[in-house]
C-alpha cells in the first residue's frame, strides 16, 4: 500500500487477478509463491502457443486483409533496417514489443475465438515471465523480425502450409533463444 500509495482493496483485487492468470499462488498467512520461469515452463508455453498459432497462421494466410499483411511487413522491414543500421535495443525495444503484439495478436484474432484469445493472453504473460532473464540484443531482435517476415510473406502469398511451417520454425528458434542455444 505504501509503495504504490493505494488503498488495500485495489491491491487485493490486482493480486487475485494475477493469481487467476497463474503468475503466482497466494498462500494464506504465509506469502506468495511466484511462477518459476524454468525449462519446463518455457517448453510447455511454446508447445501450447504452437498448437494454437499454427492453426491461426493457416487461417490468417487465407483470410487476413492484404492491406493488414502489407502494413505488418512494412513495419517489420522498417525496424529491421533501423536495427541493421545500428539502432540500440533501448531505442527500439518498445517498437519491437508492439510488433510482437500486433503480429501474434493479428494471427490469433483471425480465429475469431474469444476462448483462444483469452488463453493466448495468458500465454503471453508466461512468455513475459520467461523472458525476464533473457537479454534483448540487436542480433536476437533481427532474427525474430526475419522469422516474422517469413510467416507474413507466406501469408501474403496466401500459402497456409508455408505460413504454418514458418511459424513452427519461429517458435522452435524462439525456444532455442530462450534456452540460450542461439
Amino acid at each position: 500500500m505504501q509503495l504504490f500509495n493505494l488503498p488495500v482493496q485495489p491491491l487485493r483485487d490486482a493480486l487475485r487477478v494475477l493469481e487467476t492468470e497463474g503468475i503466482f499462488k497466494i498462500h494464506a498467512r504465509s506469502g506468495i509463491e511466484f511462477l518459476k520461469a524454468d525449462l519446463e515452463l518455457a517448453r510447455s508455453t511454446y508447445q501450447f502457443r504452437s498448437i494454437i498459432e499454427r492453426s491461426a497462421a493457416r487461417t490468417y494466410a487465407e483470410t487476413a486483409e492484404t492491406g493488414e499483411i502489407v502494413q505488418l511487413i512494412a513495419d517489420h522491414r522498417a525496424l529491421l533496417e533501423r536495427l541493421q543500421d545500428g539502432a540500440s535495443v533501448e531505442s527500439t525495444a518498445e517498437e519491437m514489443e508492439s510488433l510482437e503484439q500486433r503480429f501474434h495478436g493479428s494471427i490469433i484474432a483471425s480465429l475469431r475465438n474469444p476462448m483462444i484469445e483469452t488463453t493466448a493472453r495468458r500465454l503471453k504473460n508466461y512468455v513475459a515471465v520467461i523472458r525476464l532473464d533473457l537479454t534483448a540484443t540487436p542480433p536476437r531482435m533481427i532474427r525474430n523480425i526475419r522469422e516474422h517476415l517469413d510467416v507474413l510473406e507466406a501469408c501474403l502469398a496466401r500459402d497456409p502450409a508455408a505460413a504454418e511451417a514458418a511459424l513452427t520454425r519461429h517458435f522452435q528458434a524462439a525456444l532455442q533463444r530462450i534456452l540460450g542455444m542461439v
Side-chain angles (χ1 to χ4, degrees):
M1 290 173 27
Q2 291 172 349
L3 181 63
F4 295 110
N5 195 26
L6 291 172
V8 73
Q9 193 55 49
L11 291 175
R12 282 186 183 147
D13 293 343
L15 290 172
R16 283 189 200 106
V17 168
L18 291 172
E19 183 177 31
T20 300
E21 290 297 316
I23 302 301
F24 55 72
K25 180 156 181 51
I26 299 172
H27 300 283
R29 295 181 200 67
S30 64
I32 296 174
E33 177 184 2
F34 283 87
L35 181 66
K36 184 177 174 188
D38 60 6
L39 172 64
E40 182 56 29
L41 177 65
R43 187 195 62 75
S44 297
T45 299
Y46 275 85
Q47 181 182 48
F48 198 6
R49 286 184 76 195
S50 180
I51 289 167
I52 294 170
E53 290 194 43
R54 281 193 342 250
S55 172
R58 293 183 77 85
T59 301
Y60 191 74
E62 294 171 349
T63 64
E65 295 288 330
T66 300
E68 178 183 2
I69 299 170
V70 168
Q71 186 62 57
L72 275 169
I73 289 172
D75 293 345
H76 276 78
R77 285 186 179 151
L79 181 55
L80 178 62
E81 185 175 317
R82 287 181 51 219
L83 286 164
Q84 289 172 330
D85 288 344
S88 69
V89 170
E90 294 78 20
S91 69
T92 57
E94 193 173 303
E95 187 177 351
M96 183 67 205
E97 183 59 28
S98 174
L99 276 180
E100 273 288 324
Q101 300 311 316
R102 286 176 48 216
F103 172 76
H104 290 286
S106 296
I107 289 172
I108 289 292
S110 72
L111 293 174
R112 300 174 195 256
N113 184 321
M115 291 173 66
I116 291 174
E117 289 179 23
T118 299
T119 300
R121 278 193 300 276
R122 188 173 192 176
L123 292 171
K124 184 186 91 169
N125 291 337
Y126 291 164
V127 169
V129 169
I130 293 164
R131 286 183 180 162
L132 286 174
D133 291 331
L134 185 65
T135 303
T137 64
R140 283 184 176 158
M141 293 168 77
I142 288 169
R143 282 193 297 269
N144 197 44
I145 290 169
R146 286 182 176 150
E147 291 162 12
H148 285 191
L149 284 169
D150 289 344
V151 175
L152 290 167
E153 287 165 0
C155 290
L156 187 60
R158 302 299 183 188
D159 187 341
E164 179 181 4
L167 188 81
T168 299
R169 287 189 303 276
H170 169 52
F171 280 144
Q172 289 169 344
L175 184 57
Q176 288 176 347
R177 283 190 289 274
I178 287 168
L179 300 177
M181 297 170 66
V182 178

